Every structure is written in structure tokens, then in C-alpha cells.
Amino acid sequence: MFCVAPSELETKMNITKGGLVLFSANSNSSCMELSKKIAERLGVEMGKVQVYQEPNRETRVQIQESVRGKDVFIIQTVSKDVNTTVMELLIMVYACKTSCAKSIIGVIPYFPYSKQCKMRKRGSIVSKLLASMMCKAGLTHLITMDLHQKEIQGFFNIPVDNLRASPFLLQYIQEEIPDYRNAVIVAKSPASAKRAQSFAERLRLGIAVIHGEAQDAESDLVDGRHSPPMVRNAAAIHPSLEIPLLIPKEKPPITVVGDVGGRIAIIVDDIIDDVDSFLAAAETLKERGAYKIFVMATHGLLSSDAPRLIEESAIDEVVVTNTIPHEIQKLQCPKIKTVDISMILSEAIRRIHNGESMSYLFRNIGLDD
């Protein structure tokens, strides 16, 4: 198991060289909790900055202290208004650049638009656009956590540290689920089987995969490969060409590969936003005999009616990290629990500022993790 030992990290906190400035780019006060925890662990004060919205909805940033020749770390957690969040970050990065900061490091635990990292029909790869905008604004380094697709790192022409939340989630399973040895790690679709396998191998548990669920938004049926049209058109295709057509996919009935009868089912994923697929998975697992169901995810977006739906569902507990603020959702649904990951972000900031190796934070992490 690749846990980050709390005692080792805590002894190294508060040991930072001079010239570090820590800013929060959020105008929303509820999004500043993570920034305050990181500053407290590092033993520094939050930098003085004003971020607010003009009456015409334009974003204004006023840095109120010198950043010349300093390492500036800008912490940005995503609020419900994701586009405002993006503009706050870009404007603050550019303000630091024009104020002659030595380096500008973005600390963005949840990278927005990360689901839009593949071409969809006549759409665009928005996460690539956002990466280009951040680099153009003046970002020199990025710290993030559990990117939806690791390949997003290739969209940047600056260093990217993609930290993992799984050590903290694994620790939660071991400490907060008394009979976790009777658990099975579940992938709610074949696409998340690698993540489930990683959890299962580290906890020495079995694995189950749900196959045959309803088509989701990331289906390859909408990726643009049906253009030109599938209908054979003599005017469009040369008569001598016989291009074979791809047989369309057909989902089989829902099946669970693996035994969950009389076991605790722990569903793992990177993001929990629209909860419909999780609710369907929970119902399937209950039908197959699972007596308790947990959902573990790094990023808890929990949009729309997610808290109410979770509260009324067969899910016993949803565990997410504080990469995204969700205090309101927790008030609506007591089943939602939070794991604090400020420790690893603080240590990443300390190491980058002091010029130390980051390999300690990536111990025992394989290519498939």
C-alpha cells in the first residue's frame, strides 16, 4: 500500500525557505477552507489579495503585497460557477506574471473540464484549450490530483504533478470500516476496473466488475467517427471502394463479474457527479446479496439532486475528499463523509518551493495507478 505516513510529513511541515507566497484565487468564501488548512500546515499566512465580481459580472483581482522574485502558489478549488473559477485563476496568474513573480505554481486539486478531454463528434477538447490558456497566462508549474485521464498532463508544456488521493481513501477503509476484510472492491463499469484492481491488490481483497450498464455520456457512439454518414452514398464514396462498416455495440444485460453475496461492496471511482450510474450499481449489488455499500471517490462534485438521491438510495456511505467544497451537500445528506487531503498538497508545495524531490509522494505508484 502506498500510504504517505502522517508523522513523517507533519515533522517536515513549517520548514520552508523564505520567498513563498500563498494565494487563494476564490471569491467564494466556502471555497477557501482548503487554502486555510494548507497555510496552517505550512506555517505561513495567506497572501493579501482581493478577488471579487464587478456589478457587470467581470472578475477583478487586486494583489495587495509584493510578489517580485517570489514563488507564488495559487490555490483554486472549483465552485459551482466553474467558468468564474477559471477566470479568477487566469487573471490572478497573469497579475502575478506582470508583477514579476519568480515562479507561479497553480494548486488545482480538481482540474475543471477534465471530462472533456476527448473529441466528441463536432465538439472540442476543452481541457486542452484550458491547459493552453493557463500556460499562456503565465503558469510555470501545476499541482493537481487524480486527473480524469492521466494523458491530460500531455496538454501542458509545463511540469505537472498529478498527486493521488488513494492513500487517504485506503486509510479510511482500513480505519473506518471495521469488517473491511469481508469487503469486495467494485468497478461500476469495465472502464474503472484498473482503479478497482489497484485498491483490491493493496487491501488484499477481491474484485467485482459490473458489466452491461446503460450507455453513459462518455460512450464512443458520440465521438464523431460516424462522419461521413454511415449510409452508402455513391456520390460521396468511389464505387471501387468497399469500406467495411463497424458493427454497432449492443450492451448485454447487466451482470456482475465476481461474488458480492454476503459481502461489503466498495465502489471506487475518481469523480462522483451525476449519481445515476452509482445508484444503478448499488441496486444491482443489493440484488446480488451485498449487505453494505460504500462509494469512494476523489472528487465529489455531487451536482443537482445528488445529495437527495444518495440519501434515498441503497448506498450506505459516500466518501469523498475535500478537493471540492461540499459542505452544503453534507448538510443535505449525512451519508456523505469527507477525507482531508491538505497534508499531501502542503508537502508538495513545501518540496517544490525548497527544490526537493517529489518522488517521495509517488512511492509505490505504478503506471496503471
Side-chain angles (χ1 to χ4, degrees):
M1 190 175 72
F2 54 109
C3 281
V4 180
S7 57
E8 292 181 52
L9 289 187
E10 285 171 357
T11 57
K12 294 178 180 178
M13 291 300 162
N14 304 327
I15 307 173
T16 54
K17 298 176 182 177
L20 178 148
V21 181
L22 202 63
F23 287 131
S24 175
N26 286 110
S27 58
N28 188 340
S29 58
S30 67
C31 297
M32 295 181 66
E33 291 304 315
L34 181 61
S35 304
K36 291 175 181 175
K37 288 183 179 180
I38 291 172
E40 185 179 340
R41 287 186 178 276
L42 288 170
V44 299
E45 296 288 332
M46 291 297 301
K48 296 180 177 65
V49 63
Q50 273 192 326
V51 183
Y52 59 95
Q53 306 298 315
E54 297 277 16
N56 63 359
R57 300 298 297 162
E58 288 184 359
T59 299
R60 186 174 291 274
V61 174
Q62 292 284 349
I63 296 174
Q64 299 177 319
E65 64 179 85
S66 174
V67 297
R68 182 179 295 272
K70 296 182 179 179
D71 292 331
V72 178
F73 291 83
I74 301 174
I75 303 167
Q76 182 68 316
T77 49
V78 176
S79 65
K80 283 188 176 180
D81 189 353
V82 63
N83 294 325
T84 298
T85 298
V86 170
M87 285 308 299
E88 288 170 348
L89 175 67
L90 293 175
I91 294 171
M92 183 172 284
V93 168
Y94 189 65
C96 292
K97 178 183 178 182
T98 54
S99 298
C100 301
K102 177 185 175 185
S103 60
I104 307 166
I105 299 94
V107 183
I108 312 170
Y110 170 67
F111 187 74
Y113 288 98
S114 60
K115 284 189 174 182
Q116 298 189 48
C117 60
K118 297 178 182 178
M119 181 62 75
R120 301 295 181 196
K121 213 162 189 176
R122 293 169 185 85
S124 60
I125 305 175
V126 184
S127 54
K128 165 63 176 172
L129 170 65
L130 186 55
S132 300
M133 290 167 65
M134 288 180 180
C135 295
K136 187 68 176 177
L139 208 65
T140 59
H141 197 134
L142 176 67
I143 301 172
T144 187
M145 181 165 280
D146 282 339
L147 287 169
H148 187 55
Q149 297 288 341
K150 288 181 288 185
E151 290 77 12
I152 291 174
Q153 294 174 85
F155 295 162
F156 291 85
N157 55 16
I158 58 174
V160 177
D161 287 309
N162 182 29
L163 303 175
R164 305 297 196 275
S166 44
F168 298 91
L169 296 175
L170 289 166
Q171 187 179 45
Y172 183 93
I173 292 172
Q174 292 176 314
E175 294 179 357
E176 302 297 330
I177 305 177
D179 45 352
Y180 81 93
R181 288 293 179 191
N182 187 37
V184 59
I185 305 298
V186 179
K188 68 179 178 66
S189 68
S192 54
K194 279 188 177 180
R195 180 181 294 270
Q197 182 182 356
S198 175
F199 272 68
E201 289 177 352
R202 287 179 165 84
L203 292 169
R204 315 296 191 261
L205 298 176
I207 184 173
V209 180
I210 299 175
H211 181 50
E213 77 281 5
Q215 207 76 42
D216 59 25
E218 294 192 82
S219 164
D220 59 354
L221 292 179
V222 292
D223 69 352
R225 294 173 190 169
H226 292 165
S227 184
M230 294 177 67
V231 179
R232 189 170 298 178
N233 187 333
I237 302 175
H238 194 278
S240 64
L241 294 177
E242 288 293 335
I243 300 175
L245 298 179
L246 191 65
I247 300 170
K249 289 182 179 179
E250 184 176 331
K251 288 281 184 178
I254 291 180
T255 56
V256 178
V257 182
D259 180 24
V260 296
R263 314 282 287 279
I264 298 172
I266 303 175
I267 304 171
V268 296
D269 214 334
D270 63 327
I271 299 172
I272 176 167
D273 186 4
D274 178 15
V275 297
D276 289 345
S277 59
F278 290 93
L279 302 185
E283 288 296 331
T284 301
L285 293 169
K286 276 288 184 185
E287 291 171 4
R288 299 301 194 279
Y291 72 90
K292 214 167 188 181
I293 298 171
F294 290 80
V295 174
M296 316 284 291
T298 302
H299 310 295
L301 275 70
L302 301 168
S303 302
S304 191
D305 289 334
R308 180 182 60 82
L309 294 171
I310 291 169
E311 186 64 23
E312 297 171 356
S313 73
I315 296 172
D316 292 281
E317 197 169 281
V318 173
V319 183
V320 292
T321 71
N322 56 345
T323 55
I324 297 170
H326 48 262
E327 294 306 315
I328 295 173
Q329 291 91 329
K330 286 177 71 176
L331 293 174
Q332 296 171 337
C333 177
K335 291 181 179 180
I336 300 171
K337 308 296 180 184
T338 307
V339 174
D340 180 27
I341 44 79
S342 62
M343 182 186 297
I344 194 169
L345 293 174
S346 303
E347 180 64 6
I349 290 171
R350 191 193 68 80
R351 285 175 175 271
I352 289 171
H353 175 60
N354 290 346
E356 298 176 19
S357 170
M358 293 287 285
S359 60
Y360 174 78
L361 303 180
F362 293 94
R363 293 176 305 164
N364 302 325
I365 295 178
L367 292 174
D368 294 331
D369 291 324

